[in-house]
Every structure is written in structure tokens, then in C-alpha cells.
Amino acid sequence: MFMKNQIKSKNIVTTVSLLAMLTTGCNQEKTQAPAPTAIPVNITTAQQAQLIDSTEYVGTLEAIQRVNLAPEINGRIKQIAVQEGDFVNQGELIAELEPTQQEENVFAADANVQSQIAAFTQSQSELRQREGEKDSTSSQVAGLRADVSRAEANLKSALADLQRATADLELAKVNHERSTFLVNSGVLPKQDLDDKTRDLNTSKATVSAQKEAVQAARSQVQTTKESLNSALSNLKVANERIQGARANVARSKANIDQSRGNKGSIEQELIFNRIVAPVSGIVGDFKKKKVGDYLNRGETFTTITSNNQFHLNVNVPSENLNRLKIGLPVQILNEDNSAVVSGSVNYISPIVDQSNQSVNIKVTFNNNNIFKDEKYVRTRIIWQTSPGVLIPTNAVSSLGGQKFVFVAQPGESESSLMAKQIPITVGRIQGQEFQVLSGVRPGDRIITSRILDLRNNTPVTEAELTSSTK
């Protein structure tokens, strides 16, 4: 028992001694503890920058020059002059069709042209014949008019002769009455009465003859006038026939022109057996068509696409319709969110797509062998820009929903620095940086490394200084 107590007393003493030694060592360490070591950090100076208000969408590229090649005639493929994927220049031969039907149509059209030429020649001959008939009838009319004039002159002369004969008859009657009275009175011999009777009878015969002459002259005038009227009627008919013949000539000439035009059109169809590139570009696939296959008119054979210039089509939700305007900046983004192509809106659809309640916009840009037709691309529409501050995302830390940065500020000595924890308000991420809405100003020195090792007022030292202008 004594031995156990003695051993226990020794253990107590030993324990007290050890505690005393530890306490003494701790007091000495506390007294001799050195100052904290400054943490080396990277520091960047916040610069004035442009804050971008933007939205990203998926857009579709549409080649401005992309055409579907289709034959304008029916036929079998005789030759394919290029390979799928070849680059061709405008006007270069793509394929050729066998123009069997078109050649037959050309032969038929040529025969029709010759037939119309023959009809034209015949109508010209008929016109010359009608013109000859008219000339003959015109001469006949002129002669008959002269005959009418002569007949009318003869009638006038006969009437004058009849008038003279009538006057002579009246005088002969008077002389005969006087002679009869004088002879009966015995004044004149009977011979005088005989003479006066002879003269009276002669005057009567002359009047009768002149009347017959007048009647004959009148009949002649009537006959020549009837002949003249008949000739004038024939002349009218001749003129009408000439007009008809001239119309036939004009119609035949028009038929020639029409038949030649039809022939030209058919010959043009013969030219259409050659399918050529309407634009320069890359040949698409041939839709499994090969030499010997039959192509119908209008059937797509292949495509020619030029990737030199594109329309970027973006469907913007209708809630942003009031923000859309011509000239709005648009960017096509790379995988690292950098802009590959920049342009501006040059078209805004006047209607909203009912299927997805979006508005189509277009941006036209030149392609430098970067994109292919119908490719989907990430795009950014920049609604507006404003001055502000951007800081690297790796400089920002979060605590309870609050964003902070550490700003390097002067320490107790001129050469020392301290990490000051500053609460900030941030906006969107722009590239690899936060848009700072409040808390940081241009010129502040932002710590960008070893953020997890820092606390408020932690001493730091500048490992590397970088100053960038955004």
C-alpha cells in the first residue's frame, strides 16, 4: 500500500513538473511570436470599360447565293461534267441532256416556217394580181368617163339641132299659112304654095329626125353612165380585194414572224439541254442521279452554293420586339465567347411567327471561309452599352449571397499592403469578367489570386502587377 502511494506521489510530481515546463515554454513562445508573413498575390488595376447589355440566341446561316439547279426540258442525262463538291464558275457546264424530242420539235418548227414563207409568197402574188385588176378597171373607168362626156356633148348638140329644127318648122308653118292665104286670094301663084308645103314637110321631117337623134343621144348617155357605174363598182370591188390581199400579206408575214419566234423558242429549248452554273460556288450532291437517268423539267438535280456572303437569321422572342431596331449590333460567338463576326441588323420581319411567337431578323456579312451554309451559330445581340468597370471572375468570392472582392490598400507602412474585403454588386458576366454595378471604382487595385487564403486586413505583397484596359 505504501509502495502504491509512493508511486502515485511520484507520478503527480512528474505531471506537475511537465505542466510547469509546458506552461513556461508556451509563455516564452507567446512572447517571442514573429509578425504574420504577407501573402504574395496578383493584382490588377480596375479600368474604365464598356458594359454590354446583350442576349444570346441561336441563329442559322443562309447563303445569299444558293440555287437549285433543275432542267428546263425533259431528257436523259447524257453527261455530268463536274463532281460533287467541285467549285465551279458562273456559266460552267454542269450536265448535258439528250435533246431528242427538242431536235424533232426544231425540225417541225422549221417546216412550219417554210410553209408560212410559201403562203406569204402566194399572198404577195395574189396582191399583185389584184393590183393589176385594179389598174385595168381604173383605165376602163377613165375611158367610160370620157365616153359619158362625149355622149353628153352629143346629146347637147342634138338638143340644139332639135331646137333649130323646131324653130324652122314653126317658120315653115307660118309661111305655109301665109302662102295659102295669098294663093287663095290670087295674089301669089299656086307654085308658091307648093314650095311652102314642101318646106313645111321638110321641116317636119327634120324635127322628127332631130327628135330621134336626141333620143339616141340620151340613150347613149344612159348606156355609158350605166357602164361607168358598173366600172366604178368593179373598181370598188378591186380596191376591196386589194385590201384583203394586203391583209393576207400582212397576216402571212406575221405568221412567218410567229413561226420563226416559235422556232427560236424551240431552239432555245434545245440550248436548255445544257445545265450550267448560274452563279459561282460549290456543287452539291446529285440526288443519286447518274448518266442515263431521266430528268423531268423542273426536277432538282443539284445545288450551287456560294459561301462568300451570308444572311444570319435569328428568331428573337416577341417580348424583345420593342428593343429591336435596324442597325442593332450583332455578333457571332466563338467557343470562348469572343466575337468571330460582327455586323448589324438590316432586316426585321414585319410579322410575328405564330408557331413560336418570335420575330425574324437578318444580318448580312461576308464570310472568310469560316462558316458553311445552314450552320447553327451562337449569336449575341447587343441592346446597349454603358461605361463601367469589369473585373475578372476569379477575383470575386461569395458569402451568404453577397459578392466580395479583395482590394489591395496601403498597410501600416508605406511599402506594405493589406487585403481589404469589399462588398460589390455585379451584373452580367461579360466574357471572362463580371460587370460591376457598385463597390469598385476605376483605379482600385483588385487582387486576382489566392482569394481563399485571404481574410479582411490580411497582409499581402504584390507578386505580379497587370493593368489592362477593357
Side-chain angles (χ1 to χ4, degrees):
M1 184 70 178
F2 173 77
M3 287 299 290
K4 290 182 179 180
N5 291 333
Q6 188 178 9
I7 292 172
K8 186 176 181 180
S9 299
K10 286 182 178 181
N11 288 338
I12 294 172
V13 171
T14 301
T15 301
V16 171
S17 299
L18 289 173
L19 290 172
M21 290 174 64
L22 289 172
T23 303
T24 303
C26 288
N27 290 335
Q28 289 177 353
E29 185 177 355
K30 182 176 181 181
T31 303
Q32 297 175 359
T37 303
I39 299 175
V41 295
N42 293 333
I43 300 175
T44 184
T45 302
Q47 300 287 334
Q48 183 79 29
Q50 287 291 327
L51 304 185
I52 299 175
D53 179 11
S54 63
T55 306
E56 292 188 12
Y57 299 100
V58 175
T60 306
L61 297 180
E62 174 193 355
I64 293 178
Q65 287 192 323
R66 179 182 62 192
V67 295
N68 293 327
L69 283 186
E72 298 189 43
I73 60 173
N74 300 327
R76 294 192 179 276
I77 300 175
K78 178 181 179 181
Q79 173 193 7
I80 298 178
V82 296
Q83 299 292 326
E84 295 173 340
D86 284 354
F87 180 86
V88 294
N89 293 310
Q90 183 179 10
E92 189 171 339
L93 178 66
I94 304 299
E96 188 175 2
L97 304 182
E98 293 180 353
T100 305
Q101 182 61 47
Q102 285 68 39
E103 288 178 343
E104 293 177 358
N105 292 340
V106 168
F107 293 149
D110 185 65
N112 185 43
V113 169
Q114 298 304 320
S115 174
Q116 296 302 331
I117 290 175
F120 175 70
T121 302
Q122 177 64 30
S123 63
Q124 284 185 317
S125 175
E126 181 185 356
L127 175 61
R128 287 192 293 270
Q129 179 183 350
R130 298 307 181 192
E131 287 176 340
E133 291 175 355
K134 175 192 173 183
D135 292 341
S136 176
T137 305
S138 295
S139 298
Q140 184 182 6
V141 166
L144 288 171
R145 280 176 174 162
D147 290 345
V148 168
S149 296
R150 284 193 294 272
E152 287 177 342
N154 291 337
L155 175 59
K156 184 177 181 181
S157 176
L159 289 172
D161 291 342
L162 176 59
Q163 186 177 5
R164 286 192 296 272
T166 301
D168 292 342
L169 176 59
E170 294 298 327
L171 179 61
K173 286 181 178 180
V174 170
N175 290 333
H176 183 270
E177 290 176 356
R178 182 183 300 115
S179 177
T180 299
F181 175 74
L182 293 176
V183 169
N184 291 331
S185 299
V187 176
L188 293 175
K190 188 176 179 302
Q191 183 61 39
D192 184 74
L193 179 59
D194 291 338
D195 291 339
K196 295 300 187 284
T197 299
R198 186 189 66 245
D199 291 341
L200 177 60
N201 291 332
T202 300
S203 294
K204 287 180 177 179
T206 300
V207 167
S208 179
Q210 290 302 320
K211 284 183 178 180
E212 291 178 357
V214 168
Q215 185 63 34
R218 281 179 174 156
S219 296
Q220 184 64 28
V221 169
Q222 182 66 28
T223 300
T224 53
K225 282 185 176 181
E226 289 176 354
S227 298
L228 177 59
N229 290 334
S230 177
L232 288 174
S233 178
N234 292 337
L235 181 61
K236 181 180 179 181
V237 171
N239 284 327
E240 291 175 351
R241 288 177 177 177
I242 287 176
Q243 294 299 321
R246 285 174 178 170
N248 289 335
V249 169
R251 186 163 47 251
S252 297
K253 187 176 184 304
N255 290 339
I256 290 176
D257 294 338
Q258 182 179 1
S259 61
R260 283 174 174 168
N262 293 337
K263 179 185 175 183
S265 299
I266 296 173
E267 287 176 337
Q268 186 66 35
E269 289 186 357
L270 187 61
I271 296 174
F272 287 155
N273 76 305
R274 292 169 54 85
I275 303 175
V276 298
V279 297
S280 299
I282 298 172
V283 180
D285 68 88
F286 294 138
K287 313 296 182 184
K288 298 182 180 180
K289 295 293 185 181
K290 57 186 181 298
V291 173
D293 285 344
Y294 195 84
L295 283 178
N296 292 311
R297 180 176 183 175
E299 180 183 358
T300 299
F301 172 57
T302 187
T303 59
I304 301 292
T305 303
S306 172
N307 288 329
N308 292 333
Q309 198 173 34
F310 280 107
H311 285 315
L312 168 62
N313 291 287
V314 182
N315 291 326
V316 179
S318 57
E319 57 261 26
N320 286 326
L321 179 60
N322 61 339
R323 305 183 74 184
L324 287 174
K325 60 182 179 180
I326 298 296
L328 206 62
V330 179
Q331 298 173 335
I332 298 179
L333 302 179
N334 211 336
E335 293 180 357
D336 61 358
N337 285 334
S338 62
V340 181
V341 174
S342 297
S344 59
V345 176
N346 55 21
Y347 168 80
I348 300 174
S349 175
I351 60 175
V352 174
D353 188 339
Q354 291 296 316
S355 63
N356 56 17
Q357 285 297 296
S358 64
V359 178
N360 176 255
I361 66 170
K362 292 182 185 289
V363 178
T364 303
F365 66 92
N366 294 323
N367 179 36
N368 296 322
N369 297 322
I370 301 175
F371 301 108
K372 298 291 185 181
D373 188 27
E374 297 185 348
K375 177 180 174 60
Y376 290 111
V377 292
R378 289 174 53 231
T379 62
R380 176 191 293 140
I381 298 178
I382 299 175
W383 305 111
Q384 63 180 4
T385 59
S386 59
V389 175
L390 295 173
I391 60 174
T393 55
N394 60 353
V396 179
S397 60
S398 298
L399 181 60
Q402 175 64 55
K403 302 290 187 183
F404 294 91
V405 293
F406 286 97
V407 178
Q409 295 182 353
E412 295 178 357
S413 63
E414 292 183 3
S415 60
S416 65
L417 294 173
M418 294 179 60
K420 192 70 174 177
Q421 192 175 32
I422 304 296
I424 61 173
T425 303
V426 298
R428 298 173 179 270
I429 293 179
Q430 184 172 322
Q432 300 297 322
E433 297 173 307
F434 271 116
Q435 298 177 352
V436 180
L437 305 180
S438 66
V440 174
R441 295 175 297 176
D444 286 347
R445 304 181 68 194
I446 309 301
I447 298 174
T448 60
S449 66
R450 302 189 65 175
I451 302 302
L452 297 179
D453 297 333
L454 301 180
R455 299 292 182 272
N456 191 33
N457 296 326
T458 299
V460 293
T461 183
E462 190 171 2
E464 181 180 353
L465 176 64
T466 58
S467 176
S468 59
T469 302
K470 306 297 177 187

